[in-house]
Amino acid sequence: MNAENTGAKNILVIHGPNLNLLGVREPEIYGENTLQDINRNLSVLAKNAGASLDTFQSNAESELIERIHLAMNDGTEFIIINPAAYTHTSVALRDALAAAKLPFIEVHLSNVFSREPFRRKSYFSDLAVGVISGLNIKGYELALKYALELR
């Protein structure tokens, strides 16, 4: 895919709490890839498509909110977000995404619908362009592919 055929050219990937522990934390659920592996892979895919990719991870809700606020004015055109545990708890993060008015895809490494009942509630899904759950790192890749192909 060349730059002329891409949709969003400035994409932000946001990783929520505990995703810095990927590869160590419950690999039977979240896989053995690290956050660095995911970011490196996405960066290569974006670069090959002529797009710019910025990644951000924080365990702090306020830092995630601040990064979304920044995205409103930094040229970001699309967000890929794995809110992790904040998926089920954070009205504040939802409000930030609603205020940003940027299209986003919600990504989850595990299939949240096959896990504990509390994980089935998302504060973001109704605002999202789409939700990808249970495809491990492939979910991030598919979200990026979608963003790159937007018209």
Side-chain angles (χ1 to χ4, degrees), residues 51-98:
S52 171
L53 186 87
D54 186 22
T55 61
F56 182 80
Q57 189 278 328
S58 180
N59 295 318
E61 184 179 35
S62 62
E63 291 179 5
L64 297 167
I65 291 167
E66 291 295 331
R67 184 59 188 97
I68 292 167
H69 290 177
L70 181 63
M72 294 169 66
N73 298 306
D74 72 355
T76 296
E77 297 170 288
F78 198 95
I79 297 173
I80 297 167
I81 184 169
N82 183 342
Y86 290 134
T87 303
H88 326 291
T89 64
S90 183
V91 173
L93 200 52
R94 174 197 169 84
D95 289 347
L97 286 164

Side-chain angles (χ1 to χ4, degrees), residues 82-90 106 108 119 121-124:
N82 183 342
Y86 290 134
T87 303
H88 326 291
T89 64
S90 183
E106 178 183 341
H108 300 283
R119 293 189 193 275
K121 169 65 178 159
S122 168
Y123 280 97
F124 312 107

Side-chain angles (χ1 to χ4, degrees), residues 18-45:
N18 297 312
L19 293 174
N20 57 304
L21 298 177
L22 288 176
V24 176
R25 176 184 174 224
E26 300 174 283
E28 68 281 3
I29 295 174
Y30 300 107
E32 297 186 5
N33 290 293
T34 66
L35 187 61
Q36 293 77 15
D37 294 335
I38 292 170
N39 288 339
R40 185 173 33 255
N41 181 44
L42 294 176
S43 292
V44 167
L45 292 172

